[in-house]
Amino acid sequence: MGVAMNPEWLTHRVRQGQPHVFSVDIQNTENNPRVATCGCDGIVRIWFLQALVDASKEPFEKEPERDTDSVQMEENSSKENSCSNHKIPENALASSLSYHSRSVNMVRWSPQGQLLASAGDDFLVFIYHKEEGRGYSPFGSNEPAPVENWRGRKLSGHSNDVLGIAWSPCGNLLASCSVDNTIIIWNIHSDTIITRLQGHESFVKGVSFDPTGRFLASHGEDLAVMIWKTSEWRIEKEIREPFKESRTIEYQKSLFYRLDWSPCGRDLVCSNCLAFCEEKRTHAAVIFRRDCNFEKPIYFRSPVPILCVRYSKRMYKCYKDKPVNDENESYSALALGTSSGALLVWVSKSSKPLLILKKACKGAILDISWSADGYSLIAAPAIGAPLYIRFTEEELGYVLNAKEEKDFFDSVRSQLGANYENIPLTQSTIQLEMERLYAKHIQEGNDHMSQHQNNISQELMEREKKSTVHPSEQQQQQQQREYNVGKKRRIVPKCLSTAANPQESIAENSRLTTETNHDENHIMKSSSSNMNGYTSIETSISVSPNGEEALAKRNMDYSFGPKKEEESPSNESSFFLQDFHRKLDSYTPTLGEAWLFHSQETMDNQYSSTKLPAFPMEWSKHRVIDEEEKISLRVENDELCCIRNDTILWQAALGKNASPVALAGEKTTLYTAVTSNNMLHLFSIFGSRLYAPVLLNARPHMLQVLKGYLFVILVNGEMSLYRVPQVSLVLRTSVGPILPEQVVEKMGQPVFYPPLVSKQEDVCLTLYNGSSYLFQKNLGNWICIADDSFIHSEFFHINFNTQKENISPKYLLTWFRKMAGKTTVPKLSNVKPAKVFLETLAHLETMMASASILHSKEEFKKLLLCYIEKLCSAQATQIPSRIERLREVLDDILQGQQGFFSRNLESTEKRNFMLQVLLPAVSKNRQLQNIAEEYVEKIKSM
Amino acid sequence: MSAVEVLQVNVLNNPGFFRDPFCFEITYEVREALQQDIEWKVIYVSCAKDESLDQVLDEVLLPADTVGRFQFTLEVSAPNPDKIPSDDLLGITAVLITCSYKDQEFIRIGYYLNNEYDEAEMNENPPSPPLLENIRRHIFSEEPRVTHFLHSFDSPESYLDENASHPSYNSLLDTVEETQHSKLKNSDVQSSRMNFV
């Protein structure tokens, strides 16, 4: 048999006032759930439900009168439960939180259960999370020391008392409603306001998200229930009719109009309704069905006002071992609390209440909460002790198992057009068409590659979890210190703990958190303390142990360097971005290196002191020019020989005492040699001198002959590009600005990959550290087109080297997918997805700009697609301005003539590119379907 | 929300002698970083009836520019017996610990304390001049009286102004049962001094 009790200790009171509980909520977890309560004393208390279970087992337990079959009202005497249970039992109180400075009106646990939110008359909303360490009870309260350490952070935005809160089913959003007539939607990851809903003409007294996340319902004192569509935060439906009679003083006095959705999301139930039905006025709770477009209300009548309603999160069935079918139908359970303190429990299979407790509580019931297992219930009264009831399976029914429940929810939600994963409905055929296109692209792409991508993001998430590190240990300040400020002593206190980033310390998995503290792979460094002597550190640097390995690998790359250099650069004078990236294939940067490169900003004197290594010795006497045709240059007896297949093509004398220090050539252009007296000799392909010896300003570092160009870098950093064979200088500049600092230490090793020269005669140099720079003549400066700035970008290792021949514009996406699949995430720990996201965006933007400068249209399109995909990803919801950014890009492409994006797309292909590639990518996220649609319409009307 | 909340105060060297310094180990939490230092004061109530005789034993500044939990020990010298009326030297009086920001107090912790000679006979016939070495001081550390005062700290928070609240809502609340919305403020902002027995 079930049990019921009124624990006097589970209350709030101000001084000698009456005990009361304004709101109660049981944590949505089956494993040792907590109960949160609040009241006028400004304190939020967290209890263990187990304490109630234990207390109800005490001898004074009392069986409330109940009748499972009849509607007959029964006098219940459970409140006469006269045991003096005022004292808080040991280990009942998990925490006592005194953040609010006024009454606390509502508490709610997040759907996943790790966070607690509270709203109060001090206009504030707080979100609490659990931390390691000991907790404190409000000082001077004489309460038992709390077992757990919960800490709050505030959300400030309302301009008057906050009466209600609701979590979105995904746990990312929090809605709060206030006497200021507005509802604020908070992003609880950034603690920012996503939007402020204005529509009610009076106090908003209750809010609730539907379990599919598609709607938010709110009930205001203007006697309207508004259904807001969460995809664009506009009013979907305004319900006034059933409440028009409710303008009576007793309803206006009602503090809250708490409303709730059935667990499947089909029914919305509202309290505080004075219905006019069957020619009579009657108090009622009113149920609106989503499948009837929230019309045709169903009334649940009562002789006294119904002040609160709450569905159990579970579904039940009558027969334990039989599957759910027509004979063993599943049903939900709804608890209703009235102003007279009566509690009613109603199950949807029956037209009559399952249970009526006429005197469940002394005062009006303001809030009710069901436990996650579906059998416990707590009702919070305005006066007196709350009511705790534990039902048995026989009484309430058998809770559906997870699969049955999911099947049921799925079937209901599919009828309602909202599926289980909380994805908005398609609203038009355009969206479906776009999605079909996208799916097609994906299928044509490599499936396992995209899966790989998922793995990466999962890996990232994992890492994020792991990187959750408690700073407290490192930051614990030694001892207090003191000194004098004027006449007064100033004491620097001992720091017990500083605020960890709440996102990082979500108490979801505290076990994991403690483990990672000992993770030897992470060497934690705390940055220096501030001038007060205690730390305010948010960032910690972690150095991956793979660093050395990667470095070793890099050193190997260096040893292969010369071989690579033998390969002449691309035959064409035009080039694509991928040519650079191909060279970066084997390059694995490490964080340490990336940081070194960052520090190059500080080098000022590089211009003057640049000292590049001299031209490689092994090429000074012999150098292979063309491997296929076996052409090589060789110095024999002070004479320069050009040899093919061991036969000498031509010979030339270099002059007295002049031994060559550098050789270079290209079989169709010319051959060159630099002698020890810094003279540059130029020879035609047949060995005749083309020009008088040119005196170089210093010894050469690099000597390259490209098709039509001669390229020289001297050890002092001077770079020259000559047009050949009619020798004329194209440009001369210093490579100093782009040199990494430690170039000197890497003496004797090549610094640059062979240069590339564009049609515009701009030179692109790629450093062995992976950074690429372009010298733009008309700008007169080096431009960074690829570097390690965005090391956390998901596209950091993008490889543009896939088989070119397969590209056809039609399969652009497929092709791209392949490449994206090759991306690897740098081996870095401690990187938050949000940071990765931002860096990825920045990286893509830079790459697009680079592609634009390089006139690489294909690349640009691919990058643009990546960029759009990123902007539309679900992760981007954390950036409030993303939709504006997306629109900006799309508008630019569509309308702009000189905009960045439209400039880089052929006007003729724009339309198809948008329709075939970009907009399907947008449609992938159904949250954005109206945008996809809008632009499809725009394009079609053009 | 109070930007700074006192979590715990441990009264050290208690009981002690009259001339011993007061020693409090204070644990506080900074919930919102403040621009300026917070100031702690220890006040000895020399005479319950005459506020002007209160002795400020010490004032110290502490940083509050980092969110977190902090602990320090506040040691202040004993009150000057010359400034205490001879009638009030013995018996029940109080010591107050206050914390203020921008010269405005936001928390006050009061402890009753009792001064008496260790010999009963001397208590009945107190020697004159008093033998300070023999006076024992006992602070009732188990029963702190904590009073919070609303403070705007760095941000002018509008709810401090009672009138900013929706007028009709307040009037409605008045009609609701007294217990439901007896404003914390009313109950908390009592007399700024402790009421003595």
Side-chain angles (χ1 to χ4, degrees), chain A residues 45-64:
Chain A
R45 292 209 177 84
I46 301 174
W47 313 84
F48 292 109
L49 186 64
Q50 187 59 38
L52 281 167
V53 175
D54 293 343
S56 64
K57 283 179 190 156
E58 301 278 309
F60 51 76
E61 82 175 40
K62 194 158 185 324
E63 171 65 17

Side-chain angles (χ1 to χ4, degrees), chain A residues 15 18 22 40 98 101 121 123 149 151 154 160 382 480 488-491 494 496-497 499 532 534, chain B residues 1 29 31-32 37 39 58 61 63 65-69 71-73 75 159 166 179-181 188:
Chain A
R15 313 249 158 190
Q18 291 271 13
F22 271 10
C40 238
S98 60
S101 53
D121 279 357
F123 311 178
N149 184 15
R151 279 167 78 169
K154 91 173 174 187
N160 215 320
Q480 86 179 52
K488 287 176 187 164
R489 272 196 294 163
R490 186 171 193 270
I491 298 178
K494 187 166 96 180
L496 302 178
S497 67
N532 287 327
Y534 52 84
Chain B
M1 173 174 78
E29 181 171 49
R31 291 178 174 174
E32 225 170 333
D37 284 351
E39 186 176 33
D58 202 0
L61 297 171
D65 55 354
T66 307
V67 174
R69 288 179 178 166
Q71 192 174 62
F72 69 107
T73 307
E75 189 174 300
Y159 71 87
H166 202 289
T179 51
Q180 293 196 355
H181 271 262
D188 272 346

Side-chain angles (χ1 to χ4, degrees), chain A residues 316-358:
Chain A
Y316 308 83
K317 61 182 178 182
C318 291
Y319 305 104
K320 189 177 185 180
D321 298 319
K322 292 188 186 165
V324 174
N325 52 34
D326 288 345
E327 279 161 36
N328 189 15
E329 76 179 297
S330 59
Y331 54 90
S332 54
L334 173 66
L336 307 101
T338 70
S339 64
S340 66
L343 178 83
L344 297 87
V345 177
W346 178 72
V347 290
S348 59
K349 65 166 178 166
S350 144
S351 58
K352 298 164 179 176
L354 174 79
L355 165 74
I356 300 170
L357 287 178
K358 226 178 175 185

Side-chain angles (χ1 to χ4, degrees), chain A residues 717-930:
Chain A
E718 183 191 284
M719 181 192 90
S720 311
L721 182 70
Y722 304 92
R723 210 174 284 129
V724 286
Q726 313 79 18
V727 184
S728 64
L729 183 69
V730 178
L731 69 89
R732 171 164 292 166
T733 184
S734 165
V735 296
I738 64 169
L739 286 180
E741 213 167 55
Q742 76 278 35
V743 69
V744 185
E745 296 156 28
K746 299 253 161 85
M747 229 12 180
Q749 292 170 332
V751 177
F752 302 103
Y753 283 106
L756 295 165
V757 180
S758 74
K759 276 178 189 158
Q760 289 76 32
E761 298 185 323
D762 293 334
V763 174
C764 181
L765 273 179
T766 301
L767 288 158
Y768 263 69
N769 66 29
S771 312
S772 292
Y773 299 89
L774 179 79
F775 190 84
Q776 243 195 350
K777 266 190 307 176
N778 51 10
L779 201 65
N781 279 95
W782 289 97
I783 294 168
C784 174
I785 53 175
D787 71 350
D788 288 346
S789 299
F790 304 108
I791 194 154
H792 300 137
S793 162
E794 285 173 36
F795 296 94
F796 185 72
H797 274 213
I798 193 166
N799 179 8
F800 278 112
N801 191 27
T802 338
Q803 296 77 19
K804 240 196 226 170
E805 55 274 14
N806 292 346
I807 317 169
S808 109
K810 200 179 150 201
Y811 298 120
L812 191 65
L813 193 68
T814 314
W815 192 72
F816 171 71
R817 278 274 142 190
K818 264 185 195 156
M819 293 188 304
K822 278 207 174 181
T823 63
T824 53
V825 179
K827 291 278 177 218
L828 298 176
S829 53
N830 267 353
V831 184
K832 285 190 213 156
K835 184 177 175 62
V836 171
F837 175 73
L838 281 180
E839 287 216 357
T840 303
L841 279 192
H843 187 218
L844 288 174
E845 281 168 11
T846 345
M847 299 247 289
M848 278 193 287
S850 303
S852 163
I853 289 165
L854 301 172
H855 303 281
S856 171
K857 305 236 182 239
E858 280 300 298
E859 245 69 37
F860 185 85
K861 280 195 279 187
K862 281 163 215 147
L863 291 163
L864 178 59
L865 178 62
C866 298
Y867 187 65
I868 295 282
E869 281 193 324
K870 274 282 131 194
L871 276 184
C872 297
S873 66
Q875 197 187 7
T877 36
Q878 292 176 18
I879 317 292
S881 63
R882 67 178 170 131
I883 293 180
E884 280 74 55
R885 183 112 61 114
L886 181 65
R887 282 184 181 278
E888 184 193 325
V889 175
L890 293 176
D891 280 336
D892 185 337
I893 299 169
L894 204 60
Q895 281 142 8
Q897 298 300 314
Q898 284 307 308
F900 175 69
F901 295 101
S902 51
R903 228 176 336 117
N904 286 288
L905 293 171
E906 305 283 344
S907 51
T908 47
E909 62 178 19
K910 257 188 218 172
R911 192 189 144 99
N912 274 340
F913 185 59
M914 283 277 271
L915 279 178
Q916 299 289 323
V917 183
L918 290 187
L919 290 175
V922 173
S923 75
K924 181 190 66 166
N925 184 349
R926 280 195 181 170
Q927 306 277 5
L928 300 172
Q929 54 177 309
N930 46 347

Side-chain angles (χ1 to χ4, degrees), chain A residues 124 132 206 277 307 368 466 578 647 701 732:
Chain A
L124 299 175
E132 296 292 302
C277 59
L307 298 189
I368 298 171
K466 281 197 176 174
Q578 63 255 43
T647 54
H701 162 68
R732 171 164 292 166

Side-chain angles (χ1 to χ4, degrees), chain A residues 14-15 17-20 22 40-42 97-103 105 121-124 126 131-142 149-152 154 158-161 163 179-181 203 205 221 249 252-253 255-256 364 366 382-383 480 482 485 487-499 530 532 534-536, chain B residues 1-2 5-10 25 27-32 36-37 39 58-77 103 107 109 111 141-148 150 155 157-162 164-170 172-173 175-185 187-188 190:
Chain A
V14 181
R15 313 249 158 190
Q18 291 271 13
H20 63 272
F22 271 10
C40 238
D41 55 2
L97 302 157
S98 60
Y99 283 82
H100 286 283
S101 53
R102 292 264 187 93
S103 285
N105 292 320
D121 279 357
D122 54 2
F123 311 178
L124 299 175
F126 283 90
E131 285 186 3
E132 296 292 302
R134 66 164 288 195
Y136 293 86
S137 53
F139 180 58
S141 64
N142 283 329
N149 184 15
W150 287 77
R151 279 167 78 169
K154 91 173 174 187
H158 281 294
S159 58
N160 215 320
D161 305 1
L163 298 180
V179 171
D180 66 12
N181 298 2
F203 315 154
K205 289 184 163 181
E221 211 183 276
I249 190 72
Q252 283 176 2
K253 269 202 297 193
L255 290 169
F256 317 111
L366 299 178
I383 305 170
Q480 86 179 52
E482 60 179 73
V485 179
K487 283 180 188 169
K488 287 176 187 164
R489 272 196 294 163
R490 186 171 193 270
I491 298 178
V492 178
K494 187 166 96 180
C495 174
L496 302 178
S497 67
T498 55
N530 69 12
N532 287 327
Y534 52 84
T535 46
S536 58
Chain B
M1 173 174 78
S2 182
E5 192 72 56
V6 173
L7 299 177
Q8 199 168 35
V9 177
N10 285 329
E25 186 193 67
T27 310
Y28 66 98
E29 181 171 49
V30 179
R31 291 178 174 174
E32 225 170 333
Q36 298 174 19
D37 284 351
E39 186 176 33
D58 202 0
E59 302 168 297
V60 295
L61 297 171
L62 272 101
D65 55 354
T66 307
V67 174
R69 288 179 178 166
F70 304 95
Q71 192 174 62
F72 69 107
T73 307
L74 185 55
E75 189 174 300
V76 300
S77 53
D103 292 327
I107 192 164
I109 300 155
Y111 287 101
S141 59
E142 298 306 308
E143 286 171 34
R145 302 297 171 102
V146 187
T147 315
H148 289 89
L150 288 179
S155 60
E157 281 178 30
S158 49
Y159 71 87
L160 295 179
D161 178 10
E162 190 66 27
S165 231
H166 202 289
S168 59
Y169 190 64
N170 282 334
L172 281 171
L173 289 180
T175 67
V176 179
E177 297 245 13
E178 183 201 8
T179 51
Q180 293 196 355
H181 271 262
S182 62
K183 296 287 176 186
L184 261 188
K185 189 179 171 183
S187 55
D188 272 346
Q190 293 175 327

